[in-house]
Structure formats: structure tokens, C-alpha cells
């Protein structure tokens, strides 16, 4: 299990038989969008299982021509849950409920409504034709999607950020590793690595 910043690798570097799964996490505002398109061929063509979280889901959507836009502006008197991030714009922030709209093995062992970590002010506007919608909220219709033929998932929420009071994300990541043919020990190692990153 290796964490690599996407500025340090090219898409073709990942498309090798030794790579068993690709997880694309959120993105930094400090990195320009010009790198995004270099990953589109990998996302569209590889047979390696892919799971994108938040900005990673948006990158997958863009690889399939979906639009990604900011969410709406805040209404008069509406509280901003994180004024230091995209002030004036609505955002989903914190551990919040998400409705599963289509049952899928990704959500095995979970209720119809999950509670997962949100941290975004932009979203994928529509599900690409090659994908199907799996989960939604009132403000963000495309909370989770899945490719119709390949093992490619995206979630607008952050399942990699979880804790003992909010374990649904941990279950989702574990389910993905199982679907990708990888053992639970790898999911546990990934959870430990992401927890350390969050603390840092």
C-alpha cells in the first residue's frame, strides 16, 4: 500500500499488473488543473479497480465529460460550516447523512442511510452515461456512482475519513477492497495510513 502525490506520477506509471487498485483522494487547491487530463486515459481504459473520493470522484466524472461546478451560493442568514473554505458558498461539511438510492455490494452491511464525512463545495453535476447513480443528498444528487462495466467507483464524500463513532466509511473502503480481490488486512493498513494523514 503506497501513497503517492499525483504530481509525482503519471497515469501510465500506474497501469501495470503489480498495481491491484487505485484510490484517488481529494485534491489540493495549490495544484493546477492542467494535470487532470493526463489521468483521463488511465481512468477510461485501465482494468485496474479505481475508487475516487471527493476530488477523485470529480476527476473520474471529468474523464467521462461530466461537469463539475461549485454548489449554490449561501442563502441570506444561512450558516457557513467552514467560512475559511470557499466563503459565501454552500458546502456539505462534517459527518452527514447520505441516502443510498441503489443497493450495491459497495454498501454491503450498511443501512439505507449512511453517515459519512463530507468536505466539499463543488460537485459532479450529472452521472456520466457509462455510470449509474448509487447515493444522493438533497443538495448533492451525485454522492456516489459506479461504472456499468468496470470496477470504477466514486463518492463525493470521504469514506477514508472515519472513526469509531462514524464507521460507515470504513465499511465502504473494506467492501471496495473485497470487490477488488484484496484482503481485509490491506483495508486496515489503508485506514491506518489515512488516519495518520488526517492527524497530520
Amino acid at each position: 500500500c503506497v501513497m503517492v502525490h499525483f504530481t509525482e506520477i503519471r497515469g501510465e506509471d500506474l497501469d501495470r499488473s503489480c498495481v491491484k487498485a487505485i484510490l484517488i483522494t481529494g485534491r489540493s487547491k495549490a495544484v493546477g488543473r492542467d494535470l487532470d487530463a493526463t489521468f483521463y486515459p488511465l481512468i477510461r481504459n485501465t482494468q485496474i479497480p479505481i475508487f475516487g473520493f471527493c476530488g477523485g470522484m470529480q476527476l473520474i466524472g471529468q474523464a467521462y465529460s461530466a461537469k463539475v461546478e461549485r454548489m449554490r451560493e449561501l442563502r441570506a442568514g444561512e450558516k457557513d460550516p467552514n467560512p475559511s473554505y470557499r466563503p459565501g458558498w454552500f458546502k456539505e461539511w462534517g459527518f452527514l447523512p447520505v441516502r443510498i438510492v441503489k443497493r450495491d455490494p459497495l454498501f454491503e452491511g450498511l443501512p439505507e442511510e449512511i453517515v459519512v464525512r463530507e468536505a466539499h463545495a463543488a460537485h459532479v453535476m450529472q452521472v456520466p452515461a457509462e455510470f449509474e447513480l448509487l447515493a444522493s443528498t438533497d443538495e448533492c444528487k451525485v454522492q456516489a456512482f459506479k461504472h456499468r462495466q468496470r470496477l470504477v467507483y466514486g463518492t463525493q464524500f470521504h469514506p477514508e475519513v472515519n472513526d469509531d463513532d462514524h464507521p460507515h466509511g470504513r465499511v465502504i473502503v473494506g467492501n471496495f477492497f473485497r470487490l477488488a480481490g484484496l484482503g481485509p488486512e490491506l483495508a486496515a493498513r489503508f485506514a491506518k495510513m489515512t488516519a495518520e494523514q488526517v492527524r497530520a
Side-chain angles (χ1 to χ4, degrees):
C1 187
V2 179
M3 292 185 118
V4 182
H5 196 274
F6 77 95
T7 57
E8 299 171 359
I9 198 162
R10 297 171 304 167
E12 57 267 26
D13 294 333
L14 297 173
D15 204 5
R16 292 185 264 171
S17 60
C18 62
V19 177
K20 303 303 180 193
I22 298 169
L23 302 162
I24 309 169
T25 61
R27 57 181 305 121
S28 167
K29 290 190 296 183
V31 178
R33 302 265 172 186
D34 52 325
L35 279 177
D36 289 359
T38 66
F39 289 91
Y40 294 168
L42 170 75
I43 292 168
R44 288 192 298 258
N45 299 314
T46 188
Q47 293 305 305
I48 298 169
I50 299 177
F51 195 169
F53 314 137
C54 195
M57 176 192 189
Q58 294 169 10
L59 185 67
I60 292 169
Q62 289 172 315
Y64 285 90
S65 302
K67 289 184 181 178
V68 174
E69 294 184 5
R70 285 188 184 184
M71 300 182 81
R72 64 175 173 78
E73 291 186 59
L74 287 171
R75 297 182 182 117
E78 193 170 16
K79 186 180 177 190
D80 189 334
N82 185 0
S84 64
Y85 178 74
R86 308 259 176 148
W89 290 89
F90 178 86
K91 55 200 71 106
E92 292 180 310
W93 207 268
F95 284 99
L96 299 173
V98 171
R99 292 184 315 276
I100 296 172
V101 298
K102 179 169 181 165
R103 293 307 304 186
D104 185 86
L106 188 69
F107 301 125
E108 186 175 312
L110 295 173
E112 296 300 313
E113 184 175 87
I114 56 177
V115 177
V116 285
R117 180 69 164 98
E118 300 272 20
H120 66 102
H123 59 143
V124 177
M125 298 298 293
Q126 72 282 341
V127 179
E130 297 86 349
F131 288 72
E132 53 190 354
L133 180 67
L134 299 180
S136 297
T137 62
D138 290 343
E139 293 285 351
C140 178
K141 179 183 176 187
V142 187
Q143 279 284 346
F145 61 32
K146 169 190 177 179
H147 195 279
R148 295 180 188 276
Q149 277 85 43
R150 294 167 43 231
L151 196 62
V152 178
Y153 284 97
T155 59
Q156 186 56 66
F157 55 86
H158 286 268
E160 80 280 18
V161 180
N162 53 73
D163 57 33
D164 291 340
D165 293 327
H166 307 95
H168 293 162
R170 189 177 314 137
V171 173
I172 290 168
V173 171
N175 285 340
F176 172 77
F177 277 115
R178 179 179 47 77
L179 291 167
L182 303 170
E185 65 283 347
L186 184 57
R189 282 195 350 221
F190 177 74
K192 183 175 186 271
M193 289 173 71
T194 53
E196 289 167 358
Q197 291 268 334
V198 168
R199 282 194 294 273

